[in-house]
Amino acid sequence: MKDSRLTGHTLVNKFLGFSTAALFCLATSIEVSAAGESASKTPRLTSEQFKIQARMAQLHAEADGQPSISFSPELMAAAAADPSLASVLDDAQERFKLIKAERGEKQAELRRRIESAKNSIDVQQQELTDNRNRLAMVSRKLESLEPAVEKGLIGENYLSALNSEVEQLTAQCDGLEDNIAQIKWNVAEYSLQLSEQDADRRRVVQAQLEALESRKRQAERFEEELVASETSIQRQAYPAPESQSYPHSSME
């Protein structure tokens, strides 16, 4: 009877020991697994990465001539969860609007100058045409009066007035031609400035995008190293238990 009781106690102790060890191993394994999965699978977007991507989105919108910035779903989701990140997107939209408005004002001013210059060309071109027509008419009249002049039928004052008008019309035509040429030059300059504004901005945007792309890669590498370090620390904090052996109780 004594041997039977001892054997029963021994079996119970063994069962409880193995059960406790198994539960400990299972709990530890779950904690380590959960920590590893949390570090490796949960998408992490640092503040630096967020700001870089927001700036890149702004630059892309400027380069493409978009009316506003189209942020990625990842940025929008992060901003919805963090007011400070949401303010970054708001600030980017405000900067985009200011830059767009400033560029728009400069371009509008150049277009106004071009339009005004073209209108001036039209007016002066019409005046030049009228003067040339008047000059041709007066010149023909002088030619037709040559016989009368030779016969002394035309007074010197009248003839002098016609010659003076020819000189004035010729000078006016020359001046108008010079003015029109200068205005056309101005139109070409304004048009060049207009195209250079777009080209210069595209070059600046491209250079900034390349610099931000480099910063983005550096931030991603840093984050990968940080996640790997955190995972290693978590594994060290929850080490896998060593296998334990439980000696068999000798039967009495």
Side-chain angles (χ1 to χ4, degrees):
M1 188 70 178
K2 180 180 179 182
D3 294 340
S4 175
R5 287 197 302 270
L6 290 174
T7 302
H9 286 303
T10 301
L11 292 174
V12 169
N13 289 335
K14 286 183 178 181
F15 176 78
L16 292 175
F18 284 124
S19 298
T20 302
L23 289 173
F24 177 80
C25 292
L26 178 61
T28 304
S29 176
I30 292 173
E31 289 175 348
V32 172
S33 176
E37 289 179 359
S38 175
S40 60
K41 293 184 178 180
T42 303
R44 299 181 59 174
L45 193 63
T46 66
S47 176
E48 178 69 12
Q49 290 174 320
F50 187 91
K51 292 177 181 179
I52 290 173
Q53 292 186 30
R55 177 61 176 158
M56 291 179 70
Q58 177 186 338
L59 292 173
H60 280 300
E62 291 181 26
D64 297 339
Q66 297 176 4
S68 61
I69 306 174
S70 297
F71 295 111
S72 67
E74 183 182 16
L75 293 181
M76 296 299 292
D82 189 338
S84 65
L85 297 182
S87 67
V88 173
L89 299 190
D90 292 339
D91 292 343
Q93 287 285 18
E94 287 300 320
R95 287 195 304 271
F96 175 79
K97 290 178 181 179
L98 290 174
I99 292 174
K100 188 176 180 64
E102 183 180 354
R103 289 180 61 201
E105 289 176 1
K106 291 180 179 179
Q107 292 177 344
E109 176 61 25
L110 287 172
R111 291 190 178 97
R112 283 193 295 269
R113 292 181 182 181
I114 291 172
E115 187 64 24
S116 176
K118 288 181 176 180
N119 291 336
S120 180
I121 289 174
D122 292 339
V123 171
Q124 295 192 47
Q125 189 66 54
Q126 183 60 49
E127 185 178 355
L128 177 61
T129 299
D130 293 341
N131 285 352
R132 283 174 175 171
N133 292 337
R134 175 65 181 172
L135 178 60
M137 184 188 70
V138 174
S139 297
R140 287 194 300 270
K141 188 172 185 178
L142 281 172
E143 291 178 1
S144 67
L145 292 176
E146 285 182 1
V149 171
E150 292 176 357
K151 295 178 181 180
L153 300 176
I154 300 295
E156 290 294 333
N157 291 338
Y158 181 68
L159 188 62
S160 176
L162 290 177
N163 285 325
S164 177
E165 186 176 2
V166 167
E167 291 177 357
Q168 290 176 2
L169 289 171
T170 300
Q172 289 177 5
C173 288
D174 291 342
L176 287 170
E177 288 176 350
D178 291 341
N179 289 341
I180 291 171
Q182 181 61 50
I183 295 172
K184 286 182 177 179
W185 175 266
N186 292 340
V187 169
E189 280 290 317
Y190 297 149
S191 300
L192 180 61
Q193 291 177 25
L194 195 59
S195 62
E196 283 180 344
Q197 275 191 4
D198 292 334
D200 290 344
R201 186 57 190 168
R202 282 193 294 269
R203 284 193 292 269
V204 171
V205 166
Q206 185 59 37
Q208 291 179 344
L209 281 172
E210 291 175 358
L212 285 172
E213 188 64 38
S214 176
R215 285 179 56 191
K216 180 183 176 184
R217 289 193 297 268
Q218 292 176 357
E220 289 173 347
R221 285 196 298 269
F222 176 79
E223 181 61 18
E224 290 173 357
E225 294 173 357
L226 182 61
V227 169
S229 176
E230 290 177 350
T231 303
S232 176
I233 292 173
Q234 288 169 346
R235 287 176 177 172
Q236 292 176 9
Y238 301 97
E242 297 180 356
S243 59
Q244 299 180 9
S245 60
Y246 294 88
H248 296 284
S249 298
S250 60
M251 297 178 61
E252 297 181 1

PDB file of all heavy atoms in Angstrom, residues 95-112:
ATOM      1  N   ARG A  95       2.648  75.687 -48.675  1.00  0.00           N
ATOM      2  CA  ARG A  95       3.846  76.092 -49.417  1.00  0.00           C
ATOM      3  C   ARG A  95       3.636  75.914 -50.918  1.00  0.00           C
ATOM      4  O   ARG A  95       4.040  76.758 -51.718  1.00  0.00           O
ATOM      5  CB  ARG A  95       5.060  75.278 -48.961  1.00  0.00           C
ATOM      6  CG  ARG A  95       5.595  75.656 -47.606  1.00  0.00           C
ATOM      7  CD  ARG A  95       6.993  75.074 -47.393  1.00  0.00           C
ATOM      8  NE  ARG A  95       7.013  73.631 -47.560  1.00  0.00           N
ATOM      9  CZ  ARG A  95       6.781  72.769 -46.589  1.00  0.00           C
ATOM     10  NH1 ARG A  95       6.506  73.204 -45.372  1.00  0.00           N
ATOM     11  NH2 ARG A  95       6.826  71.467 -46.805  1.00  0.00           N
ATOM     12  N   PHE A  96       3.005  74.811 -51.276  1.00  0.00           N
ATOM     13  CA  PHE A  96       2.738  74.539 -52.688  1.00  0.00           C
ATOM     14  C   PHE A  96       1.857  75.635 -53.286  1.00  0.00           C
ATOM     15  O   PHE A  96       2.115  76.122 -54.400  1.00  0.00           O
ATOM     16  CB  PHE A  96       2.064  73.175 -52.819  1.00  0.00           C
ATOM     17  CG  PHE A  96       1.646  72.843 -54.229  1.00  0.00           C
ATOM     18  CD1 PHE A  96       2.575  72.385 -55.150  1.00  0.00           C
ATOM     19  CD2 PHE A  96       0.329  72.998 -54.623  1.00  0.00           C
ATOM     20  CE1 PHE A  96       2.198  72.089 -56.452  1.00  0.00           C
ATOM     21  CE2 PHE A  96      -0.057  72.697 -55.917  1.00  0.00           C
ATOM     22  CZ  PHE A  96       0.878  72.246 -56.831  1.00  0.00           C
ATOM     23  N   LYS A  97       0.827  76.022 -52.557  1.00  0.00           N
ATOM     24  CA  LYS A  97      -0.075  77.074 -53.049  1.00  0.00           C
ATOM     25  C   LYS A  97       0.660  78.406 -53.202  1.00  0.00           C
ATOM     26  O   LYS A  97       0.453  79.130 -54.187  1.00  0.00           O
ATOM     27  CB  LYS A  97      -1.258  77.237 -52.094  1.00  0.00           C
ATOM     28  CG  LYS A  97      -2.224  76.062 -52.106  1.00  0.00           C
ATOM     29  CD  LYS A  97      -3.342  76.270 -51.103  1.00  0.00           C
ATOM     30  CE  LYS A  97      -4.298  75.084 -51.079  1.00  0.00           C
ATOM     31  NZ  LYS A  97      -5.379  75.275 -50.069  1.00  0.00           N
ATOM     32  N   LEU A  98       1.520  78.741 -52.221  1.00  0.00           N
ATOM     33  CA  LEU A  98       2.262  80.003 -52.290  1.00  0.00           C
ATOM     34  C   LEU A  98       3.223  80.010 -53.471  1.00  0.00           C
ATOM     35  O   LEU A  98       3.315  81.001 -54.209  1.00  0.00           O
ATOM     36  CB  LEU A  98       3.028  80.228 -50.979  1.00  0.00           C
ATOM     37  CG  LEU A  98       2.185  80.553 -49.747  1.00  0.00           C
ATOM     38  CD1 LEU A  98       3.070  80.612 -48.503  1.00  0.00           C
ATOM     39  CD2 LEU A  98       1.453  81.882 -49.941  1.00  0.00           C
ATOM     40  N   ILE A  99       3.958  78.913 -53.644  1.00  0.00           N
ATOM     41  CA  ILE A  99       4.907  78.822 -54.764  1.00  0.00           C
ATOM     42  C   ILE A  99       4.169  78.889 -56.093  1.00  0.00           C
ATOM     43  O   ILE A  99       4.582  79.593 -57.022  1.00  0.00           O
ATOM     44  CB  ILE A  99       5.725  77.521 -54.665  1.00  0.00           C
ATOM     45  CG1 ILE A  99       6.656  77.578 -53.457  1.00  0.00           C
ATOM     46  CG2 ILE A  99       6.535  77.285 -55.929  1.00  0.00           C
ATOM     47  CD1 ILE A  99       7.397  76.283 -53.177  1.00  0.00           C
ATOM     48  N   LYS A 100       3.063  78.172 -56.170  1.00  0.00           N
ATOM     49  CA  LYS A 100       2.272  78.168 -57.404  1.00  0.00           C
ATOM     50  C   LYS A 100       1.723  79.559 -57.699  1.00  0.00           C
ATOM     51  O   LYS A 100       1.730  80.013 -58.848  1.00  0.00           O
ATOM     52  CB  LYS A 100       1.128  77.158 -57.264  1.00  0.00           C
ATOM     53  CG  LYS A 100       0.355  76.915 -58.564  1.00  0.00           C
ATOM     54  CD  LYS A 100      -0.688  75.837 -58.355  1.00  0.00           C
ATOM     55  CE  LYS A 100      -1.455  75.586 -59.635  1.00  0.00           C
ATOM     56  NZ  LYS A 100      -0.592  75.053 -60.711  1.00  0.00           N
ATOM     57  N   ALA A 101       1.239  80.242 -56.642  1.00  0.00           N
ATOM     58  CA  ALA A 101       0.690  81.588 -56.829  1.00  0.00           C
ATOM     59  C   ALA A 101       1.787  82.566 -57.255  1.00  0.00           C
ATOM     60  O   ALA A 101       1.579  83.406 -58.143  1.00  0.00           O
ATOM     61  CB  ALA A 101       0.029  82.061 -55.539  1.00  0.00           C
ATOM     62  N   GLU A 102       2.964  82.465 -56.624  1.00  0.00           N
ATOM     63  CA  GLU A 102       4.075  83.346 -56.962  1.00  0.00           C
ATOM     64  C   GLU A 102       4.517  83.137 -58.412  1.00  0.00           C
ATOM     65  O   GLU A 102       4.725  84.095 -59.157  1.00  0.00           O
ATOM     66  CB  GLU A 102       5.242  83.109 -56.017  1.00  0.00           C
ATOM     67  CG  GLU A 102       6.428  84.038 -56.248  1.00  0.00           C
ATOM     68  CD  GLU A 102       7.562  83.779 -55.280  1.00  0.00           C
ATOM     69  OE1 GLU A 102       7.386  82.968 -54.367  1.00  0.00           O
ATOM     70  OE2 GLU A 102       8.624  84.400 -55.449  1.00  0.00           O
ATOM     71  N   ARG A 103       4.668  81.879 -58.789  1.00  0.00           N
ATOM     72  CA  ARG A 103       5.046  81.578 -60.171  1.00  0.00           C
ATOM     73  C   ARG A 103       3.963  82.056 -61.134  1.00  0.00           C
ATOM     74  O   ARG A 103       4.249  82.585 -62.211  1.00  0.00           O
ATOM     75  CB  ARG A 103       5.267  80.082 -60.344  1.00  0.00           C
ATOM     76  CG  ARG A 103       6.504  79.532 -59.671  1.00  0.00           C
ATOM     77  CD  ARG A 103       6.625  78.048 -59.914  1.00  0.00           C
ATOM     78  NE  ARG A 103       6.737  77.745 -61.331  1.00  0.00           N
ATOM     79  CZ  ARG A 103       6.459  76.569 -61.865  1.00  0.00           C
ATOM     80  NH1 ARG A 103       6.024  75.587 -61.097  1.00  0.00           N
ATOM     81  NH2 ARG A 103       6.604  76.378 -63.149  1.00  0.00           N
ATOM     82  N   GLY A 104       2.708  81.856 -60.723  1.00  0.00           N
ATOM     83  CA  GLY A 104       1.605  82.282 -61.578  1.00  0.00           C
ATOM     84  C   GLY A 104       1.599  83.790 -61.793  1.00  0.00           C
ATOM     85  O   GLY A 104       1.338  84.265 -62.906  1.00  0.00           O
ATOM     86  N   GLU A 105       1.906  84.550 -60.726  1.00  0.00           N
ATOM     87  CA  GLU A 105       1.951  86.013 -60.851  1.00  0.00           C
ATOM     88  C   GLU A 105       3.067  86.455 -61.796  1.00  0.00           C
ATOM     89  O   GLU A 105       2.884  87.347 -62.630  1.00  0.00           O
ATOM     90  CB  GLU A 105       2.139  86.640 -59.477  1.00  0.00           C
ATOM     91  CG  GLU A 105       0.913  86.539 -58.577  1.00  0.00           C
ATOM     92  CD  GLU A 105       1.165  87.096 -57.192  1.00  0.00           C
ATOM     93  OE1 GLU A 105       2.305  87.577 -56.968  1.00  0.00           O
ATOM     94  OE2 GLU A 105       0.252  87.053 -56.348  1.00  0.00           O
ATOM     95  N   LYS A 106       4.246  85.829 -61.646  1.00  0.00           N
ATOM     96  CA  LYS A 106       5.364  86.186 -62.526  1.00  0.00           C
ATOM     97  C   LYS A 106       5.046  85.855 -63.979  1.00  0.00           C
ATOM     98  O   LYS A 106       5.320  86.649 -64.885  1.00  0.00           O
ATOM     99  CB  LYS A 106       6.633  85.455 -62.084  1.00  0.00           C
ATOM    100  CG  LYS A 106       7.186  85.930 -60.754  1.00  0.00           C
ATOM    101  CD  LYS A 106       8.447  85.161 -60.385  1.00  0.00           C
ATOM    102  CE  LYS A 106       9.030  85.647 -59.064  1.00  0.00           C
ATOM    103  NZ  LYS A 106      10.251  84.894 -58.677  1.00  0.00           N
ATOM    104  N   GLN A 107       4.467  84.685 -64.188  1.00  0.00           N
ATOM    105  CA  GLN A 107       4.137  84.292 -65.551  1.00  0.00           C
ATOM    106  C   GLN A 107       3.033  85.174 -66.122  1.00  0.00           C
ATOM    107  O   GLN A 107       3.076  85.541 -67.304  1.00  0.00           O
ATOM    108  CB  GLN A 107       3.723  82.824 -65.577  1.00  0.00           C
ATOM    109  CG  GLN A 107       4.866  81.865 -65.279  1.00  0.00           C
ATOM    110  CD  GLN A 107       4.415  80.424 -65.229  1.00  0.00           C
ATOM    111  OE1 GLN A 107       3.225  80.133 -65.124  1.00  0.00           O
ATOM    112  NE2 GLN A 107       5.364  79.499 -65.309  1.00  0.00           N
ATOM    113  N   ALA A 108       2.060  85.522 -65.272  1.00  0.00           N
ATOM    114  CA  ALA A 108       0.974  86.387 -65.729  1.00  0.00           C
ATOM    115  C   ALA A 108       1.508  87.771 -66.105  1.00  0.00           C
ATOM    116  O   ALA A 108       1.073  88.369 -67.102  1.00  0.00           O
ATOM    117  CB  ALA A 108      -0.096  86.509 -64.651  1.00  0.00           C
ATOM    118  N   GLU A 109       2.469  88.285 -65.324  1.00  0.00           N
ATOM    119  CA  GLU A 109       3.065  89.584 -65.623  1.00  0.00           C
ATOM    120  C   GLU A 109       3.798  89.545 -66.960  1.00  0.00           C
ATOM    121  O   GLU A 109       3.691  90.465 -67.778  1.00  0.00           O
ATOM    122  CB  GLU A 109       4.020  89.990 -64.509  1.00  0.00           C
ATOM    123  CG  GLU A 109       4.773  91.291 -64.758  1.00  0.00           C
ATOM    124  CD  GLU A 109       3.854  92.489 -64.915  1.00  0.00           C
ATOM    125  OE1 GLU A 109       2.718  92.457 -64.399  1.00  0.00           O
ATOM    126  OE2 GLU A 109       4.276  93.456 -65.582  1.00  0.00           O
ATOM    127  N   LEU A 110       4.558  88.475 -67.204  1.00  0.00           N
ATOM    128  CA  LEU A 110       5.260  88.344 -68.483  1.00  0.00           C
ATOM    129  C   LEU A 110       4.274  88.233 -69.643  1.00  0.00           C
ATOM    130  O   LEU A 110       4.490  88.824 -70.712  1.00  0.00           O
ATOM    131  CB  LEU A 110       6.183  87.124 -68.452  1.00  0.00           C
ATOM    132  CG  LEU A 110       7.441  87.264 -67.593  1.00  0.00           C
ATOM    133  CD1 LEU A 110       8.167  85.924 -67.485  1.00  0.00           C
ATOM    134  CD2 LEU A 110       8.382  88.327 -68.177  1.00  0.00           C
ATOM    135  N   ARG A 111       3.197  87.505 -69.423  1.00  0.00           N
ATOM    136  CA  ARG A 111       2.191  87.373 -70.491  1.00  0.00           C
ATOM    137  C   ARG A 111       1.502  88.711 -70.766  1.00  0.00           C
ATOM    138  O   ARG A 111       1.177  89.013 -71.915  1.00  0.00           O
ATOM    139  CB  ARG A 111       1.166  86.299 -70.117  1.00  0.00           C
ATOM    140  CG  ARG A 111       1.748  84.884 -70.125  1.00  0.00           C
ATOM    141  CD  ARG A 111       0.637  83.839 -69.997  1.00  0.00           C
ATOM    142  NE  ARG A 111       1.187  82.491 -70.051  1.00  0.00           N
ATOM    143  CZ  ARG A 111       1.472  81.752 -68.998  1.00  0.00           C
ATOM    144  NH1 ARG A 111       1.261  82.237 -67.776  1.00  0.00           N
ATOM    145  NH2 ARG A 111       1.972  80.536 -69.132  1.00  0.00           N
ATOM    146  N   ARG A 112       1.277  89.488 -69.701  1.00  0.00           N
ATOM    147  CA  ARG A 112       0.693  90.826 -69.893  1.00  0.00           C
ATOM    148  C   ARG A 112       1.635  91.706 -70.711  1.00  0.00           C
ATOM    149  O   ARG A 112       1.197  92.459 -71.598  1.00  0.00           O
ATOM    150  CB  ARG A 112       0.381  91.475 -68.540  1.00  0.00           C
ATOM    151  CG  ARG A 112      -0.869  90.950 -67.869  1.00  0.00           C
ATOM    152  CD  ARG A 112      -1.296  91.840 -66.711  1.00  0.00           C
ATOM    153  NE  ARG A 112      -0.316  91.841 -65.633  1.00  0.00           N
ATOM    154  CZ  ARG A 112      -0.344  90.996 -64.605  1.00  0.00           C
ATOM    155  NH1 ARG A 112      -1.292  90.078 -64.526  1.00  0.00           N
ATOM    156  NH2 ARG A 112       0.562  91.069 -63.656  1.00  0.00           N
TER     157      ARG A 112
END
